[in-house]
Amino acid sequence: MANQLRMLLGISLVLGLAQAMDNCIGLEGVIGSEARLVFGKDGQLEYTNKNSPDFFVTNVIEYSTMPTFDDLVTDNTLDRAELQNLEVAEQGSDFNVRYDPVTGDVRAGRFAFIKFGVPTEAFYFPAKGRLINGQVYYLRNFRYRAEEDCIAPPRLQHAIFPTEVAVNPPMIETVGGPSIPRNLTVLSVDTTSVSLAWVSPEDSGDGTPDGFAANVVYRVYYEGDCEATGTTDEGEVTTNATSVTLEGLCRGAVYLVNVSAYNPYGESADATTQARPVSPPVGVSALELVLNPLSIPNTTGNSMARLQWGLPLDTGDTADGVDIVDYRVYDLITGLVVYEGSDQFYDLQIAYGQTYRFGVAAKNNQGPDLGVFSAFGNTSTVGPIEVFPPAVMTVEYSSACAPFCEDPCLNSLRVFTPPQAAGGSMLCEACNGSSCKTSVPSPAGGACTEEVQDTCASGTCVTCEDPIMAVFVGSLSSFTIVAQMPPGTRPPPAETSLEDAGATMALGEGVVTVGDQTAMGQTAQSRFQVNITATADMLRREGVSGASDIPVCFIATTFQGLKSQLCLAVRVIGPAPVFRDLEEGGPERELRVGCAFTLGLQATDLTDYQVQTLPLDVVVAKQYLIRVATNGSTLMSSYRSTPSRSNPEGLTLRSPGVFMADNASDPFADPAALVDTTLAPPQNSFFVQLAWTPRRQQEGFRYHVCVEAEGYIQGSQVPSNAPTRFSCHTLHVLRCRFCSTQEAASLSSLASLWRAEWLSLWSGNHDLIAVEGGGEIQAGPVLKVGRGGGCLVGNSPAACGDDLQHISTRYGVSVSDLLWWNPDIADEAARSADYALLPDQEVCVLPNTCVNDAHIFSGGF
């Protein structure tokens, strides 16, 4: 056998040398060249010719996407030196290659090879890179022999650069293997299966997604380690579709899945992902439909519902990292999917009288590395649930005046059903003029039935007012809260519950007692009796004066959780004292020095109960009393207005100290019954008397005096905001007017008190016969300052027509006398004003009427 091989090599060598010698005489052209597409040579063309092998001849193939071959480095004439220096590999070599600037694929080039084997030996080009799928390439070829390769003398060499000849066929549209499958995705997993899908390659082999797609087949290879068996589970499937379900896998094993695409001319690289078969989760736990989940006792809250659930007891795999990531909620009444997401609740709006039924299923993921879902597991269901309306709430109570009300209807039990107390809105929506209707039933056959409502314009909304229940301090009052299903509603299987929604907190511990709830058989009615004993402290709360409305609320909850709220305004009845003058007189009363003045006042408190006036004996029985005290005074003159917490000197407040009926005789007729005090004892309707005899040096002033009646309940004073609690009077003590109370006093002694002569007093009182007996005396004339001229009053300009100096000169008296007769001008405030007189200001003057007196006067009587 070895000898045979040596013989063949020797023969080939001899034939080659002989051929070389022959070629030196003349290089034959290309014979029978062909190019074609071949499976397994993706991006290459196969080339053959029928020329005999020749160690000294180089075969060159030129290819280009341009029929003129202009994109090659040189023109049709090759550079001799380039060819002579070309080193050709055994399987051929590329040169003058041109690449696509975007894809990097080969657009043009030359491929050189030397035949060493049989004449039909095949070569594949380009040696590196790949041709463009779907592109037409133009082909031509030639043969070349270098000069130094020729044994014959140089004169015999010729045809070193023969003309290129076309290849058969002269052009070929290339077709290669497809590109890699795109977007490989795990759709779902099950206990022993995994479903995958992908998008077909961007290049099916001819440069387009669809042109060669019919010839594309997908190879799916999978491999995973199965812990249950301790073996490697692997397999391969092929498919023409762009999806596949791998079955019979090992539960919980992580599989590496490779998907490639191939056609008759080549196969793509692998698209790769991971998948793990797991069981779908079981049904969710603790599935329930919660009505009014926010516990809001109005339309907004009662129209809300929440379907909520817990995690499945089995998520489908025991491996770490498996979590429920998606839930699907089915409306089993309509058959629609109403929610899909990761929350463990679904909020919805509900309507009364409707029936609801839902199902919930879950699917899981496989952790952050895999991140794919299982199929949805079993469906858990809830329902059917019929939604009943919320309870209607009613309050029953009696009027505070009962059983003494003048209106007999108010003496009966009052029943109110506010519209907002039926689970609705505090706003009376779609107002039609009667939205806030409440009713007061008749105690005897309907004669007293009435409707109380807040009217409003059509299309607007008004706030419904809460019922008001008035209560007396210290008296036990009761009301009853009733909750029941609306009329015509089929009785539900459980009662409505009632709860205190802050009544105890609002009114105070020990003040309110909420009774136990009682159910009323098949009517599903619940009742609360609430007992209230109001205290005077409720009227002393910060910001409260007089009547105090304290809201107390109760909530009724149906067995389904729908809520209604009824609020009642508990009005604590406060004091409201009223004064009535018993004597005629205007807002200003004139008094004289030495003359006794009295003003009788009647004080009564019938409370601030606003529904109806209460009988006095009822008020007294409720221990609503008042005390009367002076509230200070204000000293007023032309120069001052000074408030004081004390009364004018000598002014007293007197009371008989006993309760007096309205028709009683004058309680002050007997002076022995009078008690001088600044605080009358607590009573209800009684008389007080302001008593005052002004003294010398108080004339010329006005005194604004107020008497206040204070609420006095259960032995302590309680504030009131009633404007009628004050009785205010202005007491003007006239100047130059006084009463003589001295027994057997003479005219001369009286004149000395006024720094005057008896003739001056007598000249102004010609009818005065005797001074004893307390008659009224006019000491002298009262002048009024005229307007004109100018002066300063308190360093401020003012129009005035006179001053003390001129008056004293005119009437023959001294300035000190004028100040003695006019205490308001002698006052410190007047002194600060430099005793300036103001227009229309009054001045008391006792002119000197003696002829022999040295005083000069002008004027008098």
Side-chain angles (χ1 to χ4, degrees), residues 159-189:
I160 295 177
F161 294 98
T163 303
E164 293 90 342
V165 296
V167 179
N168 180 33
M171 57 184 179
I172 294 179
E173 181 178 358
T174 57
V175 177
S179 58
I180 189 171
R182 296 172 291 167
N183 300 336
L184 177 59
T185 304
V186 178
L187 297 180
S188 65
V189 297

Side-chain angles (χ1 to χ4, degrees), residues 779-800:
V782 177
L783 307 181
K784 182 175 290 188
V785 178
R787 297 178 178 272
C791 63
L792 292 177
V793 178
N795 297 322
S796 299
C800 56

Side-chain angles (χ1 to χ4, degrees), residues 745-783:
S746 65
L747 193 60
S748 177
S749 62
L750 290 176
S752 64
L753 295 176
W754 287 85
R755 292 187 178 181
E757 298 292 336
W758 69 270
L759 284 175
S760 298
L761 292 181
W762 181 79
S763 63
N765 299 273
H766 292 295
D767 57 347
L768 183 62
I769 299 176
V771 297
E772 64 273 11
E776 181 180 339
I777 299 175
Q778 181 172 342
V782 177
L783 307 181

Side-chain angles (χ1 to χ4, degrees), residues 459-735:
T460 63
C461 297
V462 297
T463 301
C464 297
E465 299 293 338
D466 294 325
I468 298 175
M469 175 182 173
V471 297
F472 285 101
V473 173
S475 299
L476 178 63
S477 302
S478 300
F479 63 88
T480 301
I481 301 295
V482 182
Q484 60 185 355
M485 299 305 292
T489 303
R490 181 173 58 85
E495 296 83 10
T496 299
S497 64
L498 272 168
E499 60 182 308
D500 170 12
T504 302
M505 181 180 299
L507 294 172
E509 292 289 343
V511 176
V512 59
T513 301
V514 180
D516 294 334
Q517 174 183 309
T518 58
M520 303 297 290
Q522 293 301 314
T523 61
Q525 182 186 93
S526 297
R527 303 174 68 88
F528 260 165
Q529 178 172 322
V530 182
N531 302 320
I532 298 176
T533 303
T535 65
D537 288 338
M538 294 181 180
L539 295 169
R540 297 192 184 98
R541 294 183 179 181
E542 184 177 356
V544 174
S545 179
S548 174
D549 290 351
I550 303 174
V552 293
C553 299
F554 297 86
I555 291 179
T557 305
T558 67
F559 76 102
Q560 292 181 317
L562 299 187
K563 295 181 179 294
S564 305
Q565 177 173 281
L566 186 148
C567 292
L568 180 72
V570 175
R571 173 167 296 174
V572 182
I573 300 173
V578 176
F579 272 107
R580 180 169 65 90
D581 294 351
L582 299 180
E583 301 177 12
E584 298 291 336
E588 181 171 303
R589 299 174 185 270
E590 296 181 346
L591 284 69
R592 294 155 179 81
V593 172
C595 298
F597 167 79
T598 59
L599 175 62
L601 304 174
Q602 183 183 32
T604 306
D605 180 18
L606 295 181
T607 78
D608 65 357
Y609 184 45
Q610 299 178 3
V611 177
Q612 186 180 12
T613 301
L614 294 171
L616 183 59
D617 54 351
V618 173
V619 177
V620 173
K622 300 293 184 181
Q623 299 185 39
Y624 276 63
L625 307 177
I626 52 176
R627 301 182 76 168
V628 179
T630 54
N631 193 255
S633 62
T634 301
L635 177 64
M636 300 180 294
S637 71
S638 298
Y639 306 96
R640 71 159 70 222
S641 178
T642 306
S644 173
R645 299 182 64 179
S646 61
N647 296 324
E649 185 179 358
L651 186 144
T652 60
L653 179 69
R654 303 192 296 178
S655 170
V658 295
F659 171 75
M660 301 296 297
D662 288 345
N663 58 355
S665 60
D666 185 2
F668 301 106
D670 182 6
L674 302 181
V675 177
D676 289 341
T677 179
T678 58
L679 186 67
Q683 298 175 8
N684 191 291
S685 180
F686 63 97
F687 298 92
V688 292
Q689 186 182 68
L690 278 176
W692 189 27
T693 300
R695 303 174 183 178
R696 186 70 182 84
Q697 299 301 314
Q698 291 179 327
E699 65 268 27
F701 289 99
R702 286 178 169 80
Y703 300 86
H704 188 73
V705 179
C706 288
V707 179
E708 179 182 5
E710 303 170 339
Y712 200 80
I713 305 175
Q714 294 183 328
S716 61
Q717 190 264 336
V718 177
S720 170
N721 60 358
T724 55
R725 70 184 187 275
F726 293 105
S727 179
C728 295
H729 306 272
T730 299
L731 307 180
H732 182 196
V733 182
L734 300 178
R735 66 183 78 240

